[in-house]
């Protein structure tokens, strides 16, 4: 496909409230830490910034409130060259908030409330659909209402857009066949895949069967990310596995989002799918070496340098 360099990101923009802990607290346990930070985040916002910092023209598609956190989030998006012209402001609404604990291994545990992000509805979609351009990319998370996600993807396909889906948070009731048939690339991680499809993915054969299942449902290019172990992809009826990259992780919070945003940025610059995925794998690994969500997202120059060292 000859892409137009534009990505529209549907998803949430949150303020992340982050504490670093030695170990995650157990039920009923109180632990003390001497640190606390706030970072702009939200899967949609993270992906938009990642796409922008890696060469794409990006528009954020969501709803925020008129509280102080929402104002800070708008400034962060704009400061990272993400267009906010499609972001609606809900009167008396609030930003989404994510509570994040990061343990000594750089792993995270997250709970979030979407705030005004969840108020994005059919009227907002109608307001924005004139911006949907043929041969551009619609990048979606599963942070909005499921019917709105489906309606947005359907409209995007009608307009000739290429649809990339990061199915997080994983919908416990699965993804229906009609929606799968409209997706060009889907990239769950192993945990998300097992939740969505209620299948164990412990062995290489199970993972390959999962990718072929998605292909049979109409997904053009199914991808399964494997964290530090890289990713698998089914292209032209061949399953390929690419190894991970060795880094010392500090915070893995936005790694999956960086993968998605960087992937789309490479695609709209007309890189091949395999080239775009390899680049995204480098970007995601590099992002884990810095704290925070949007603050951890590497630039094109940083990713290319890391790729040259690790290729």
């Amino acid at each position: 496909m000859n892409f137009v360099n534009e990505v529209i990101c549907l998803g949430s923009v949150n303020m992340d409230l982050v504490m670093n802990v030695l170990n995650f607290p157990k039920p009923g346990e109180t632990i003390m830490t001497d640190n606390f930070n706030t970072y702009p985040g939200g899967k949609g916002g993270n992906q938009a910034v990642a796409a922008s910092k890696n060469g794409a023209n990006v528009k954020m598609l969501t709803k925020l409130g008129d509280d102080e956190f929402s104002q800070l989030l708008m400034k962060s998006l704009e400061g990272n060259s993400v267009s906010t012209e499609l972001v609606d402001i809900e009167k008396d609404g609030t930003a989404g908030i994510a509570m994040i604990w990061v343990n000594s291994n750089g792993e995270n545990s997250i709970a979030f409330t979407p705030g005004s992000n969840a108020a994005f509805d059919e009227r907002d979609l109608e307001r924005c659909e004139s911006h949907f351009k043929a041969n551009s990319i619609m990048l979606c998370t599963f942070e909005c209402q499921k019917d709105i996600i489906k309606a947005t993807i359907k409209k995007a396909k009608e307009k000739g857009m290429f649809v990339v889906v990061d199915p997080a948070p994983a919908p416990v009731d699965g993804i229906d066949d009609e929606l799968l048939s409209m997706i060009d690339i889907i990239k769950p991680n192993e945990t998300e895949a097992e939740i969505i499809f209620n299948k164990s993915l412990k062995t290489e054969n199970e993972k390959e069967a999962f990718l072929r299942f998605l292909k049979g449902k109409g997904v053009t290019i199914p991808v399964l990310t494997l964290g530090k172990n890289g990713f698998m992809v089914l292209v032209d009826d061949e399953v390929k596995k690419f190894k991970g990259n060795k880094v010392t992780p500090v915070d893995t919070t936005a790694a999956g989002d960086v993968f998605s945003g960087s992937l789309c940025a490479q695609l709209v610059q007309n890189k091949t799918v395999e080239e775009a995925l390899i680049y995204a794998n480098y970007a995601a690994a590099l992002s884990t070496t810095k704290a925070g969500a949007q603050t951890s997202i590497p630039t094109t120059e940083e990713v290319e340098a890391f790729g040259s060292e690790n290729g």
Side-chain angles (χ1 to χ4, degrees):
M1 176 181 277
N2 187 23
F3 284 99
V4 172
N5 188 345
E6 184 166 294
V7 178
I8 295 180
C9 294
L10 174 68
S12 72
V13 184
N14 301 327
M15 188 61 76
D16 293 346
L17 311 183
V18 183
M19 285 187 180
N20 289 83
V21 296
L22 183 62
N23 297 298
F24 298 132
K26 300 174 184 176
E29 179 184 17
T30 298
I31 61 175
M32 183 178 292
T33 181
D34 61 358
N35 62 84
F36 172 77
N37 289 289
T38 60
Y39 299 104
K43 295 192 71 63
N46 296 341
Q47 292 175 13
V49 171
S52 176
K53 291 182 77 169
N54 285 279
N57 297 315
V58 184
K59 295 180 180 179
M60 188 70 225
L61 185 60
T62 194
K63 183 171 282 190
L64 286 170
D66 53 9
D67 62 325
E68 185 175 356
F69 277 155
S70 292
Q71 294 168 20
L72 291 171
L73 290 169
M74 288 284 280
K75 288 181 181 178
S76 178
L77 290 171
E78 291 164 354
N80 284 290
S81 300
V82 175
S83 170
T84 58
E85 64 182 304
L86 304 185
V87 179
D88 191 35
I89 303 300
E90 182 182 37
K91 181 175 173 55
D92 300 322
T94 62
I97 299 293
M99 305 290 293
I100 303 175
W101 294 266
V102 181
N103 71 9
S104 57
N105 295 321
E107 299 168 320
N108 62 66
S109 180
I110 303 173
F112 87 99
T113 181
S116 293
N117 292 290
F120 188 89
D121 58 21
E122 292 278 1
R123 290 170 296 180
D124 294 298
L125 178 57
E126 291 174 4
R127 173 178 57 83
C128 298
E129 66 178 78
S130 62
H131 292 262
F132 293 10
K133 297 179 182 177
N135 299 330
S136 63
I137 290 181
M138 175 63 70
L139 173 56
C140 296
T141 69
F142 275 11
E143 295 171 309
C144 299
Q145 301 173 49
K146 200 168 183 179
D147 58 338
I148 290 299
I149 295 167
K150 189 171 183 177
T152 302
I153 290 175
K154 187 174 183 179
K155 184 62 65 176
K157 294 304 293 184
E158 290 173 356
K159 298 282 189 174
M161 298 182 76
F162 187 91
V163 173
V164 178
V165 171
D166 186 342
V172 294
D173 55 346
I175 306 176
D176 66 69
D177 289 355
E178 182 184 9
L179 181 52
L180 284 172
S181 70
M182 294 187 287
I183 296 172
D184 292 292
I185 295 178
I186 191 168
K187 58 146 295 279
N189 61 29
E190 293 167 279
T191 301
E192 292 157 357
E194 289 184 344
I195 291 172
I196 294 168
F197 297 97
N198 196 27
K199 293 183 180 182
S200 172
L201 298 176
K202 304 302 181 188
T203 69
E204 293 293 307
N205 286 341
E206 288 170 339
K207 293 169 186 176
E208 179 171 338
F210 166 70
L211 292 173
R212 293 193 180 280
F213 168 82
L214 290 174
K215 182 72 173 181
K217 293 295 184 180
V219 177
T220 309
I221 304 169
V223 178
L224 178 63
T225 57
L226 309 172
K228 65 181 181 181
N229 295 316
F231 67 92
M232 297 173 67
V233 59
L234 175 57
V235 182
D236 297 329
D237 202 39
E238 180 183 359
V239 173
K240 296 183 179 181
K241 183 175 180 179
F242 294 83
K243 64 181 179 65
N245 300 285
K246 291 184 179 181
V247 294
T248 301
V250 172
D251 182 356
T252 61
T253 298
D257 302 330
V258 173
F259 191 107
S260 297
S262 300
L263 167 64
C264 291
Q266 290 293 290
L267 289 174
V268 295
Q269 293 173 84
N270 289 300
K271 299 296 176 65
T272 68
V273 170
E274 191 168 311
E275 288 172 337
L277 286 166
I278 291 171
Y279 181 99
N281 197 34
Y282 287 139
L286 191 55
S287 75
T288 69
T289 64
K290 297 180 183 179
Q294 292 174 23
T295 53
S296 75
I297 298 170
T299 63
T300 301
E301 292 75 20
E302 290 171 325
V303 177
E304 290 178 346
F306 181 74
S308 296
E309 294 171 0
N310 294 272

